[in-house]
Short mmCIF file of all heavy atoms in Angstrom, two decimals:
data_model
loop_
_atom_site.label_atom_id
_atom_site.label_comp_id
_atom_site.label_asym_id
_atom_site.label_seq_id
_atom_site.Cartn_x
_atom_site.Cartn_y
_atom_site.Cartn_z
N ASP A 19 -4.72 5.12 8.48
CA ASP A 19 -3.98 3.89 8.77
C ASP A 19 -3.28 3.30 7.55
O ASP A 19 -2.06 3.12 7.53
CB ASP A 19 -4.92 2.82 9.36
CG ASP A 19 -5.46 3.20 10.73
OD1 ASP A 19 -4.76 3.93 11.45
OD2 ASP A 19 -6.57 2.76 11.06
N LEU A 20 -4.06 2.94 6.54
CA LEU A 20 -3.53 2.16 5.43
C LEU A 20 -2.47 2.89 4.60
O LEU A 20 -1.54 2.23 4.11
CB LEU A 20 -4.68 1.68 4.53
CG LEU A 20 -5.67 0.72 5.22
CD1 LEU A 20 -6.79 0.34 4.26
CD2 LEU A 20 -4.96 -0.53 5.74
N PRO A 21 -2.55 4.20 4.41
CA PRO A 21 -1.48 4.85 3.63
C PRO A 21 -0.10 4.64 4.24
O PRO A 21 0.90 4.61 3.51
CB PRO A 21 -1.89 6.33 3.65
CG PRO A 21 -3.36 6.31 3.79
CD PRO A 21 -3.64 5.15 4.71
N GLN A 22 -0.02 4.48 5.56
CA GLN A 22 1.26 4.19 6.21
C GLN A 22 1.47 2.69 6.41
O GLN A 22 2.56 2.17 6.16
CB GLN A 22 1.33 4.89 7.58
CG GLN A 22 1.57 6.39 7.52
CD GLN A 22 0.34 7.15 7.08
OE1 GLN A 22 -0.76 6.89 7.57
NE2 GLN A 22 0.50 8.12 6.18
N GLN A 23 0.43 1.98 6.84
CA GLN A 23 0.59 0.57 7.20
C GLN A 23 0.92 -0.32 6.02
O GLN A 23 1.81 -1.18 6.11
CB GLN A 23 -0.69 0.07 7.86
CG GLN A 23 -0.86 0.46 9.31
CD GLN A 23 -2.09 -0.21 9.91
OE1 GLN A 23 -2.88 -0.85 9.22
NE2 GLN A 23 -2.23 -0.07 11.22
N THR A 24 0.18 -0.15 4.92
CA THR A 24 0.34 -1.12 3.82
C THR A 24 1.75 -1.09 3.23
O THR A 24 2.39 -2.15 3.11
CB THR A 24 -0.72 -0.90 2.74
OG1 THR A 24 -2.02 -0.85 3.34
CG2 THR A 24 -0.69 -2.04 1.73
N PRO A 25 2.32 0.08 2.87
CA PRO A 25 3.70 0.04 2.37
C PRO A 25 4.69 -0.48 3.40
O PRO A 25 5.64 -1.18 3.04
CB PRO A 25 3.97 1.52 2.03
CG PRO A 25 2.64 2.13 1.84
CD PRO A 25 1.73 1.42 2.80
N ALA A 26 4.46 -0.18 4.69
CA ALA A 26 5.38 -0.63 5.73
C ALA A 26 5.36 -2.15 5.86
O ALA A 26 6.43 -2.80 5.89
CB ALA A 26 5.02 0.02 7.06
N PHE A 27 4.18 -2.75 5.91
CA PHE A 27 4.10 -4.20 6.04
C PHE A 27 4.44 -4.91 4.73
O PHE A 27 4.85 -6.07 4.74
CB PHE A 27 2.72 -4.61 6.54
CG PHE A 27 2.54 -4.39 8.01
CD1 PHE A 27 1.77 -3.35 8.49
CD2 PHE A 27 3.16 -5.23 8.93
CE1 PHE A 27 1.61 -3.14 9.85
CE2 PHE A 27 3.02 -5.03 10.30
CZ PHE A 27 2.24 -3.97 10.76
N ALA A 28 4.27 -4.22 3.59
CA ALA A 28 4.62 -4.83 2.30
C ALA A 28 6.11 -5.06 2.17
O ALA A 28 6.55 -5.81 1.30
CB ALA A 28 4.11 -3.96 1.16
N ASN A 29 6.90 -4.43 3.02
CA ASN A 29 8.34 -4.68 3.04
C ASN A 29 8.68 -6.05 3.61
O ASN A 29 9.82 -6.51 3.48
CB ASN A 29 9.05 -3.61 3.88
CG ASN A 29 9.39 -2.37 3.08
OD1 ASN A 29 9.99 -2.48 2.03
ND2 ASN A 29 9.00 -1.21 3.58
N VAL A 30 7.69 -6.68 4.26
CA VAL A 30 7.95 -7.93 4.98
C VAL A 30 7.01 -9.06 4.57
O VAL A 30 7.44 -10.19 4.39
CB VAL A 30 7.83 -7.69 6.50
CG1 VAL A 30 8.08 -8.98 7.28
CG2 VAL A 30 8.78 -6.60 6.96
N PHE A 31 5.72 -8.72 4.41
CA PHE A 31 4.68 -9.73 4.18
C PHE A 31 4.04 -9.59 2.81
O PHE A 31 4.06 -8.50 2.21
CB PHE A 31 3.56 -9.57 5.21
CG PHE A 31 3.95 -9.77 6.64
CD1 PHE A 31 4.20 -8.68 7.46
CD2 PHE A 31 4.06 -11.04 7.19
CE1 PHE A 31 4.54 -8.84 8.79
CE2 PHE A 31 4.40 -11.22 8.52
CZ PHE A 31 4.65 -10.12 9.33
N ASN A 32 3.40 -10.65 2.33
CA ASN A 32 2.31 -10.49 1.38
C ASN A 32 1.17 -9.82 2.14
O ASN A 32 0.85 -10.22 3.28
CB ASN A 32 1.83 -11.85 0.87
CG ASN A 32 2.83 -12.55 -0.01
OD1 ASN A 32 3.39 -11.97 -0.92
ND2 ASN A 32 3.07 -13.83 0.27
N VAL A 33 0.56 -8.80 1.55
CA VAL A 33 -0.47 -8.07 2.27
C VAL A 33 -1.69 -7.86 1.38
O VAL A 33 -1.61 -7.84 0.14
CB VAL A 33 0.02 -6.69 2.77
CG1 VAL A 33 1.14 -6.86 3.79
CG2 VAL A 33 0.47 -5.81 1.62
N VAL A 34 -2.84 -7.71 2.04
CA VAL A 34 -4.11 -7.38 1.37
C VAL A 34 -4.74 -6.25 2.16
O VAL A 34 -4.78 -6.31 3.41
CB VAL A 34 -5.06 -8.59 1.32
CG1 VAL A 34 -6.41 -8.19 0.72
CG2 VAL A 34 -4.45 -9.73 0.51
N ASP A 35 -5.24 -5.23 1.47
CA ASP A 35 -5.96 -4.17 2.19
C ASP A 35 -7.22 -3.79 1.43
O ASP A 35 -7.47 -4.24 0.31
CB ASP A 35 -5.06 -2.96 2.48
CG ASP A 35 -4.85 -1.99 1.31
OD1 ASP A 35 -5.59 -2.06 0.30
OD2 ASP A 35 -3.93 -1.15 1.39
N SER A 36 -8.03 -2.93 2.07
CA SER A 36 -9.29 -2.48 1.47
C SER A 36 -9.29 -0.97 1.29
O SER A 36 -10.33 -0.32 1.45
CB SER A 36 -10.48 -2.91 2.35
OG SER A 36 -10.37 -2.36 3.65
N TYR A 37 -8.14 -0.41 0.95
CA TYR A 37 -8.01 1.05 0.77
C TYR A 37 -9.05 1.54 -0.23
O TYR A 37 -9.12 1.05 -1.36
CB TYR A 37 -6.60 1.38 0.28
CG TYR A 37 -6.33 2.85 0.16
CD1 TYR A 37 -6.08 3.62 1.29
CD2 TYR A 37 -6.31 3.48 -1.07
CE1 TYR A 37 -5.83 4.98 1.21
CE2 TYR A 37 -6.05 4.84 -1.18
CZ TYR A 37 -5.80 5.58 -0.03
OH TYR A 37 -5.56 6.94 -0.14
N ASP A 38 -9.87 2.52 0.20
CA ASP A 38 -11.01 2.88 -0.65
C ASP A 38 -11.12 4.37 -0.97
O ASP A 38 -12.19 4.83 -1.38
CB ASP A 38 -12.32 2.37 -0.03
CG ASP A 38 -12.65 3.06 1.30
OD1 ASP A 38 -11.85 3.87 1.79
OD2 ASP A 38 -13.75 2.78 1.84
N THR A 39 -10.04 5.13 -0.80
CA THR A 39 -10.06 6.53 -1.23
C THR A 39 -9.74 6.54 -2.72
O THR A 39 -8.57 6.59 -3.13
CB THR A 39 -9.05 7.37 -0.43
OG1 THR A 39 -9.29 7.19 0.97
CG2 THR A 39 -9.20 8.85 -0.78
N HIS A 40 -10.77 6.47 -3.56
CA HIS A 40 -10.60 6.23 -4.99
C HIS A 40 -9.60 7.18 -5.63
O HIS A 40 -8.75 6.75 -6.43
CB HIS A 40 -11.95 6.35 -5.70
CG HIS A 40 -12.90 5.23 -5.40
ND1 HIS A 40 -13.14 4.18 -6.26
CD2 HIS A 40 -13.68 5.00 -4.31
CE1 HIS A 40 -14.01 3.35 -5.73
NE2 HIS A 40 -14.35 3.82 -4.55
N ALA A 41 -9.67 8.45 -5.31
CA ALA A 41 -8.83 9.44 -5.99
C ALA A 41 -7.36 9.25 -5.69
O ALA A 41 -6.50 9.70 -6.46
CB ALA A 41 -9.28 10.85 -5.60
N ARG A 42 -7.04 8.60 -4.59
CA ARG A 42 -5.64 8.46 -4.19
C ARG A 42 -5.10 7.04 -4.36
O ARG A 42 -3.98 6.73 -3.96
CB ARG A 42 -5.46 8.92 -2.73
CG ARG A 42 -5.84 10.38 -2.53
CD ARG A 42 -5.31 10.93 -1.21
NE ARG A 42 -3.86 10.89 -1.14
CZ ARG A 42 -3.05 11.79 -1.68
NH1 ARG A 42 -3.54 12.80 -2.37
NH2 ARG A 42 -1.73 11.68 -1.55
N ILE A 43 -5.87 6.17 -5.00
CA ILE A 43 -5.40 4.80 -5.23
C ILE A 43 -4.11 4.77 -6.06
O ILE A 43 -3.20 3.99 -5.75
CB ILE A 43 -6.51 3.94 -5.87
CG1 ILE A 43 -7.59 3.62 -4.82
CG2 ILE A 43 -5.95 2.65 -6.46
CD1 ILE A 43 -8.79 2.87 -5.37
N PRO A 44 -3.96 5.57 -7.12
CA PRO A 44 -2.69 5.52 -7.86
C PRO A 44 -1.47 5.80 -6.99
O PRO A 44 -0.43 5.13 -7.15
CB PRO A 44 -2.87 6.60 -8.94
CG PRO A 44 -4.36 6.64 -9.16
CD PRO A 44 -4.95 6.45 -7.80
N ASN A 45 -1.56 6.77 -6.08
CA ASN A 45 -0.44 7.06 -5.19
C ASN A 45 -0.17 5.90 -4.23
O ASN A 45 0.98 5.53 -3.97
CB ASN A 45 -0.72 8.33 -4.38
CG ASN A 45 -0.77 9.57 -5.23
OD1 ASN A 45 -0.22 9.60 -6.33
ND2 ASN A 45 -1.41 10.61 -4.75
N HIS A 46 -1.25 5.33 -3.70
CA HIS A 46 -1.12 4.19 -2.79
C HIS A 46 -0.50 3.00 -3.53
O HIS A 46 0.37 2.31 -2.97
CB HIS A 46 -2.51 3.83 -2.25
CG HIS A 46 -2.52 2.83 -1.14
ND1 HIS A 46 -1.79 2.99 0.02
CD2 HIS A 46 -3.18 1.64 -1.01
CE1 HIS A 46 -2.01 1.96 0.82
NE2 HIS A 46 -2.83 1.13 0.21
N PHE A 47 -0.91 2.79 -4.75
CA PHE A 47 -0.36 1.69 -5.57
C PHE A 47 1.15 1.85 -5.73
O PHE A 47 1.91 0.88 -5.55
CB PHE A 47 -1.05 1.67 -6.93
CG PHE A 47 -0.62 0.53 -7.82
CD1 PHE A 47 -1.39 -0.63 -7.90
CD2 PHE A 47 0.54 0.61 -8.57
CE1 PHE A 47 -1.00 -1.69 -8.70
CE2 PHE A 47 0.94 -0.44 -9.38
CZ PHE A 47 0.17 -1.59 -9.45
N GLN A 48 1.60 3.04 -6.07
CA GLN A 48 3.02 3.25 -6.31
C GLN A 48 3.85 2.97 -5.07
O GLN A 48 4.90 2.33 -5.14
CB GLN A 48 3.26 4.68 -6.79
CG GLN A 48 2.74 4.94 -8.20
CD GLN A 48 2.97 6.37 -8.65
OE1 GLN A 48 3.52 7.19 -7.91
NE2 GLN A 48 2.54 6.68 -9.86
N ALA A 49 3.37 3.45 -3.91
CA ALA A 49 4.11 3.23 -2.66
C ALA A 49 4.19 1.75 -2.33
O ALA A 49 5.24 1.25 -1.90
CB ALA A 49 3.44 4.00 -1.52
N CYS A 50 3.09 1.03 -2.51
CA CYS A 50 3.07 -0.40 -2.19
C CYS A 50 3.86 -1.22 -3.20
O CYS A 50 4.49 -2.22 -2.84
CB CYS A 50 1.62 -0.88 -2.11
SG CYS A 50 0.66 -0.11 -0.79
N ASP A 51 3.82 -0.82 -4.45
CA ASP A 51 4.54 -1.55 -5.50
C ASP A 51 6.04 -1.53 -5.23
O ASP A 51 6.72 -2.57 -5.34
CB ASP A 51 4.23 -0.93 -6.85
CG ASP A 51 4.72 -1.78 -8.02
OD1 ASP A 51 4.43 -2.99 -8.02
OD2 ASP A 51 5.37 -1.23 -8.92
N LYS A 52 6.55 -0.38 -4.85
CA LYS A 52 7.99 -0.25 -4.57
C LYS A 52 8.38 -1.16 -3.41
O LYS A 52 9.39 -1.88 -3.48
CB LYS A 52 8.32 1.21 -4.24
CG LYS A 52 9.79 1.45 -3.94
CD LYS A 52 10.04 2.93 -3.66
CE LYS A 52 11.51 3.18 -3.33
NZ LYS A 52 11.76 4.62 -3.05
N ALA A 53 7.57 -1.15 -2.34
CA ALA A 53 7.90 -1.95 -1.16
C ALA A 53 7.81 -3.44 -1.46
O ALA A 53 8.68 -4.22 -1.06
CB ALA A 53 6.97 -1.58 -0.01
N SER A 54 6.76 -3.85 -2.16
CA SER A 54 6.56 -5.27 -2.42
C SER A 54 7.62 -5.84 -3.36
O SER A 54 8.09 -6.97 -3.17
CB SER A 54 5.16 -5.52 -3.00
OG SER A 54 4.18 -5.28 -2.03
N LYS A 55 7.98 -5.09 -4.37
CA LYS A 55 9.01 -5.58 -5.30
C LYS A 55 10.35 -5.74 -4.60
O LYS A 55 11.09 -6.70 -4.85
CB LYS A 55 9.12 -4.63 -6.49
CG LYS A 55 7.99 -4.78 -7.49
CD LYS A 55 8.13 -3.82 -8.65
CE LYS A 55 7.02 -4.05 -9.68
NZ LYS A 55 7.06 -3.05 -10.77
N ALA A 56 10.65 -4.81 -3.69
CA ALA A 56 11.91 -4.91 -2.96
C ALA A 56 11.94 -6.15 -2.07
O ALA A 56 13.00 -6.76 -1.87
CB ALA A 56 12.12 -3.65 -2.11
N ALA A 57 10.78 -6.55 -1.56
CA ALA A 57 10.70 -7.70 -0.66
C ALA A 57 10.42 -9.01 -1.38
O ALA A 57 10.47 -10.08 -0.77
CB ALA A 57 9.61 -7.45 0.39
#
């Protein structure tokens, strides 16, 4: 869910998630950072 949902909703809202796949947090961060900065 969250790998798709968080970047998608970050284009519109302030968002908070509990993404907990430790090894993939850097990738998740990059995707969300791009979306949030644009919005």
